[in-house]
Amino acid sequence: MTQGDDASERTLNNESRVSTDTVGLYTALGVDRDATPDELKRAYRRLALQYHPDRNLGRSHSSSDFVRIQLAYDVLSDARRRRIYNRYGEIGVQMAGRMGGDLLDPLVSSVLSTLALASACIAVLLIVFFALLARRVDGSVEWPFVVVFAPLWAADLVVGGVLVWARIKGTLFESSEPSDSDDEDEDDEAGVDGCATDATPLLSGQSAPRQRRASRRRRLRNARKCAEAQVAKVATAAPAMYLLLVVAFQVALVLRLDNHVTWPALLVATPWLVLEAIHFVQLTLQLTAGALYIREQAAHGERTFKRILVLAGNTFWWLAIRVSLVFLVTAKFDERIVWSWPFVFAPTYLPCVWWAIALCLLPQQLRSMNGDSEMRQNAAMIVRTCIFAFSVVASIVYSFVALLAWRLSQPWAVRLALVFIPVFVVLVLACCCCSCFSLCMACGIDATVEIMAEREHQAAPSSTNVVPPARRIDRSYASLESTN
């Protein structure tokens, strides 16, 4: 938050009654609600010169008018705070300075509400799809798979609509505010390249190795920025490519299941492997940027190979598990391996082992931290929460994996509807959570602002102190007392 934001927030906090009026600040500047930034600036400069305290000595109201004008311009000149004021008034601007204040931005709240509603719709469509798939595989219906996959393609249309809407809004893949890292880089560049001309010969004469290290650090920084720019470009185009490849994989799978083609399983999974290849390129660019940052921040003579190796492992391990699982499943369907299905699903066990080891080491790491008893209690609570969450997620995921392996090994032993029970549980919970979140974002914020405004009004001191009727002194009684 900037200094202007802090000053305007203090001014709002000092107001005796914070209103939800959405035109008062525009009235203070004498402009309309649809005024452009240039019109706001011209009005502010004119009124600031008119009501400045130095030009209105002896006028008590000029100082308060000037403060009000300053507050109005501070709020309305900021695009985000202006949107909040246009929706909720001054109480919204005051609440925006607190934790979670970004949710008051109508642009942010509309994006989150739309995403939550789209996620709920996708969850419903997936529930319908898995129900139809279970009935088709179990023999309850004889519909072609192109009909069974209709809800899944409807979900693809929802995802595509969200991507188009996000590109139009420009709020998911682009950020209008510069990041802190960019500011640090700019400051760092000013410290290296923006040296004074007179100091450069002294620096070069005093320490040539220092200049070489600075030059090396500058080259690494430029290379890292280039890699980050490539990552941003790939990340912008990746969602649309992923969706097209997923739809291509679904079409190939439907053609194979309806016996329109006799392709091997590996050929059917080719669009998915292309998707993973694109993701590999994206992860490689991210690893390159991360490795360059590690080398840039490393001290002189420090070895960075181990840190880069750990970063590479953390970057590619989940991709390696997915690709290996695709190859094993396709090889099993093509009868190129004779392993049982529990062994085919072996790559899915590795994340469980990895996270279990991490949870076992977490208490030891937290105990090694220095802190008071309250910090230790918070650390213990974090460990218990992580263990509980891991137990719930692992039980749901691996119960589904076990039931699916059982179904594929012995198709007559268990119905596919029973296998999909964990999937139904997760999708129902996701649908309920997303629906409630979308409803809260649509209606709950307005109700919260109204409640906070009412509390502010009730807590504000009254302008006149009215004596209750039971404690008032009658005029005739007062005159009688004065004569006595």
Side-chain angles (χ1 to χ4, degrees):
M1 185 179 293
T2 61
Q3 295 180 356
D5 296 342
D6 293 337
S8 59
E9 184 180 353
R10 287 194 299 269
T11 305
L12 287 173
N13 291 331
N14 292 332
E15 293 285 341
S16 59
R17 293 177 66 87
V18 182
S19 67
T20 55
D21 180 29
T22 59
V23 296
L25 296 184
Y26 290 99
T27 304
L29 292 178
V31 296
D32 298 331
R33 283 174 57 92
D34 56 352
T36 62
D38 293 335
E39 293 175 350
L40 290 174
K41 185 180 296 185
R42 286 195 298 267
Y44 167 71
R45 289 178 177 177
R46 176 176 53 83
L47 294 175
L49 291 175
Q50 180 180 352
Y51 290 98
H52 198 280
D54 294 341
R55 303 185 62 178
N56 295 272
L57 298 177
R59 298 181 181 179
S60 59
H61 63 84
S62 63
S63 178
S64 60
D65 292 340
F66 180 77
V67 171
R68 182 68 176 175
I69 293 169
Q70 180 70 40
L71 167 65
Y73 183 72
D74 287 342
V75 173
L76 299 180
S77 60
D78 184 87
R80 170 180 167 272
R81 303 176 75 201
R82 184 177 181 178
R83 289 193 300 267
I84 296 174
Y85 176 77
N86 290 340
R87 179 72 178 271
Y88 304 109
E90 294 180 17
I91 184 64
V93 179
Q94 179 180 342
M95 294 176 61
R98 304 172 185 174
M99 183 178 297
D102 291 336
L103 296 179
L104 292 174
D105 189 349
L107 190 60
V108 176
S109 60
S110 65
V111 169
L112 295 179
S113 178
T114 303
L115 290 178
L117 183 61
S119 301
C121 295
I122 292 172
V124 172
L125 291 172
L126 290 178
I127 291 173
V128 176
F129 164 69
F130 283 112
L132 293 178
L133 182 62
R135 290 179 60 83
R136 174 64 177 85
V137 174
D138 292 336
S140 300
V141 294
E142 297 296 334
W143 299 339
F145 280 95
V146 66
V147 177
V148 174
F149 274 69
L152 191 59
W153 287 329
D156 295 335
L157 288 177
V158 174
V159 175
V162 170
L163 292 178
V164 173
W165 173 82
R167 182 60 60 87
I168 295 174
K169 296 284 285 188
T171 56
L172 293 182
F173 306 115
E174 296 178 0
S175 177
S176 60
E177 298 181 357
S179 60
D180 296 339
S181 59
D182 294 338
D183 296 339
E184 292 176 359
D185 291 340
E186 292 175 0
D187 296 340
D188 204 2
E189 286 182 356
V192 176
D193 298 334
C195 299
T197 307
D198 297 336
T200 303
L202 295 177
L203 184 61
S204 61
Q206 288 179 355
S207 177
R210 182 181 300 178
Q211 279 199 344
R212 287 195 297 269
R213 289 194 297 269
S215 177
R216 174 180 175 273
R217 185 179 181 183
R218 186 166 54 249
R219 290 195 302 270
L220 291 173
R221 181 167 56 249
N222 293 333
R224 175 175 61 84
K225 287 185 176 181
C226 181
E228 291 175 351
Q230 297 299 323
V231 171
K233 291 181 181 179
V234 175
T236 302
M241 292 188 294
Y242 290 166
L243 179 61
L244 293 176
L245 290 171
V246 168
V247 172
F249 169 70
Q250 295 170 4
V251 171
L253 184 60
V254 168
L255 293 176
R256 180 65 180 85
L257 292 175
D258 285 337
N259 295 322
H260 294 299
V261 295
T262 58
W263 297 339
L266 185 59
L267 182 60
V268 173
T270 299
W272 190 273
L273 294 176
V274 174
L275 183 151
E276 297 293 356
I278 297 175
H279 192 52
F280 173 78
V281 173
Q282 185 177 1
L283 292 179
T284 303
L285 292 174
Q286 293 178 0
L287 175 62
T288 303
L292 291 173
Y293 179 78
I294 291 175
R295 295 184 60 188
E296 177 187 347
Q297 300 297 323
H300 179 64
E302 180 183 358
R303 295 184 179 274
T304 59
F305 177 75
K306 291 184 178 179
R307 295 172 59 187
I308 296 176
L309 188 62
V310 171
L311 179 63
N314 294 332
T315 302
F316 289 108
W317 73 277
W318 184 237
L319 174 66
I321 289 176
R322 293 199 307 269
V323 172
S324 60
L325 183 62
V326 169
F327 278 110
L328 288 175
V329 170
T330 54
K332 177 64 176 178
F333 276 116
D334 291 338
E335 298 181 354
R336 287 184 282 111
I337 58 175
V338 294
W339 299 350
S340 61
W341 281 105
F343 286 99
V344 172
F345 289 125
T348 61
Y349 311 146
L350 298 180
C352 182
V353 175
W354 176 271
W355 287 323
I357 294 175
L359 285 177
C360 292
L361 297 178
L362 184 59
Q364 183 179 0
Q365 296 175 356
L366 293 176
R367 282 195 298 266
S368 62
M369 298 174 58
N370 296 326
D372 53 5
S373 58
E374 184 178 358
M375 184 178 295
R376 293 192 183 94
Q377 291 177 0
N378 294 334
M381 180 63 68
I382 293 174
V383 172
R384 288 193 291 268
T385 303
C386 292
I387 292 176
F388 175 76
F390 172 75
S391 302
V392 172
V393 173
S395 60
I396 294 175
V397 171
Y398 290 103
S399 61
F400 171 71
V401 172
L403 289 173
L404 183 60
W406 185 18
R407 164 67 181 175
L408 293 173
S409 300
Q410 302 177 0
W412 64 89
V414 59
R415 297 175 64 87
L416 191 60
L418 180 62
V419 176
F420 284 155
I421 287 179
V423 179
F424 291 141
V425 171
V426 173
L427 291 177
V428 169
L429 291 177
C431 181
C432 294
C433 293
C434 293
S435 301
C436 294
F437 182 79
S438 179
L439 183 62
C440 291
M441 294 301 299
C443 304
I445 295 180
D446 295 339
T448 303
V449 172
E450 292 178 359
I451 293 173
M452 293 298 296
E454 185 64 27
R455 289 180 179 178
E456 291 286 346
H457 292 169
Q458 293 177 358
S462 179
S463 58
T464 59
N465 296 324
V466 180
V467 179
R471 301 184 62 184
R472 294 175 185 173
I473 301 176
D474 186 68
R475 181 177 299 176
S476 61
Y477 179 79
S479 62
L480 179 62
E481 288 292 331
S482 62
T483 56
N484 293 335

